[in-house]
Amino acid sequence: MPTRLLQSISLRLVLIVPYVLLLVGLAVALGVLSYSAGSRALSTVSGQLLLETVGRITQAVDRHVVGSSAVLESAFPEGMPAPPTIEQDFHDIRNRFWVATSIHTDPNDYVYYGNEAGQGLGLYRRSSEEVELRMKLRADEHRAIYRYQGVDGHLEFVRRETTLFDPRTRPWYANGKTTDGHTWTSVYIDFGTLQLVATRARRVLGPDNEFAGVVATDVALKALNDFVGRLKVSPNGIAFIVEPDGNLIASSASANVVVLPDGSYGRLQAAESDHPLLKASYLTVRDRIAVVSDEKLPRVFEFFDPEGNQIHAAIDRVRDAAGLDWVTVVAMPASDFLGDVIENVRRTVVLATIAVMVAVAIGLGILSWVSRDLRSLAAVASRIGDGDLETPVGIVRRDEIGELARSFERMQDRLRTDRLTGLANREALLQQLQRRIEHARNDRRNPHVGVLFIDLNRFKSINDNHGHEIGDQVLQEIANRLAHSVRAEDLVARYAGDEFVIVTDNVTDRPALDQVRLHVEAVLRAPLTTPQIAGLGLSVGGAIGGALYPDDGDSPESLLRHADHAMYADKLDRRRSEPSGVVRFPQRP
């Protein structure tokens, strides 16, 4: 009977009810033992509070800077070669910069680029519709400032700067030029706003893979400083973010920019702060951070300040692959939460109740999170069962559910992949081709989708004369050649046996598809070089037929059918020994 009852109850109730009962029992036990365990309980609660607060700061830092990577990739996508001069690609660069500054307007409202010729182009977003363009096209000219409305708005000249700006002399350019990948510049003061700013930069290569320039974006740290300043740790508690060298980035206890004796502005060193708790906390953290590995963070610790007061604190460290390295600290005096015994008892009861409520809320949230992901997996499984192999799982976890999600993804990959060649199989080809047709159909630029149908020559004789093992190796080498002979965004699939299909997007016209076909023909004609078959002196070549969307069909089946007919026409032409330097596309019936 109990088993049947459990089977009839939802998973949510089975997990929640014992959890809630356990927490209620824990709250009762804490009430009974509060007098003797008050101090310990309060110390535990304070530790959790510190960890939660330092975790919030770390998450805020991550949210604040993570968008800068997407901004750079939108401005200059990885692998996109830079033009020799800005004016050669000015319109596209301007449009990409508009999109880049739309992603995370706060704090990434400014993106800019400089090249080895001393040219510079920057776009600063003043509002959702108005931007300011800062441009120089010669190394010896001063930057011109323009404004315009909308993504393709007319440029209105505003003024020309009086000082000569050379991007090649700027720190962000030097850092980007000498670093392989993303890099952060040192935090500096923007003397226009007197706020701290960090710059993220990345080198950009030219068509010859040589260094061409640097793209960068500014990350204003004012919002981060405001967030830390608003944190309420305890009546006398503080929170701050500091660089390992001691320069403050954000603080709830003091400013991060100070006026120097000469009237200029400089950054505040935490070790020189006039706030005793901030100074003492940093000096303690400075010694600890050097001996504590990142794997042991965040962590709580205790120390005594110069006046002998006991301090509870927590530290964490924020690092990324671009070189960001910041330390977050939360500290509060023990006297903020320790009073006499009666007050401790009262606080213990109150905090225990709050802790139970928070734990119940977190538990309910976790259960909702788990059940939501399980429902998502069930939905994905249903769609896969219906034949949709491209459905994204969209679950990133490190627990058993995450492993189950990864198993679904591996299953999808196997269902989409031809086992022998590693290329997309026929089912994946049809689904991808359908998606690309729909994308092209909805694109106002009226792009085309090209399809090449390839049938290998002499493959049957190779199989008959040398065996299926040699035939499999031939298919594998041909598949590898085709995969490396097209663009990364093109699709290469094994259609059946010795038949392959290439799908290429954004084909401008039929002559452009002809060029792709000629290139593939040349790739196929080369002798086979796989070590096991190189000595046999084999080559295959192939007959290739092409089709173009929307000219030759508006569905995957019609395009493949047209390309297949064109391939057979090409094969007949070759058998008749007719010239094949021109790609033939039979007229649609």
Side-chain angles (χ1 to χ4, degrees), residues 99-137:
V99 173
T101 55
S102 303
I103 297 175
H104 299 282
T105 305
D106 183 12
N108 303 111
D109 58 1
Y110 185 33
V111 64
Y112 43 95
Y113 168 72
N115 62 20
E116 283 290 83
Q119 296 180 315
L121 183 67
L123 191 145
Y124 168 67
R125 183 168 290 276
R126 303 177 62 88
S127 67
S128 61
E129 289 298 323
E130 183 180 10
V131 297
E132 184 176 280
L133 194 70
R134 304 167 184 178
M135 177 173 58
K136 59 175 297 182
L137 300 180

Side-chain angles (χ1 to χ4, degrees), residues 20-79:
V20 170
L21 292 177
L22 178 62
L23 290 176
V24 170
L26 177 62
V28 173
L30 285 174
V32 173
L33 300 175
S34 61
Y35 182 81
S36 61
S39 177
R40 183 182 302 174
L42 284 173
S43 178
T44 300
V45 171
S46 68
Q48 293 299 323
L49 174 62
L50 289 169
L51 286 176
E52 180 184 349
T53 305
V54 79
R56 288 178 60 194
I57 298 175
T58 300
Q59 291 174 0
V61 172
D62 184 70
R63 289 195 300 268
H64 197 75
V65 304
V66 70
S68 57
S69 174
V71 170
L72 293 187
E73 292 306 313
S74 297
F76 255 104
E78 188 74 31

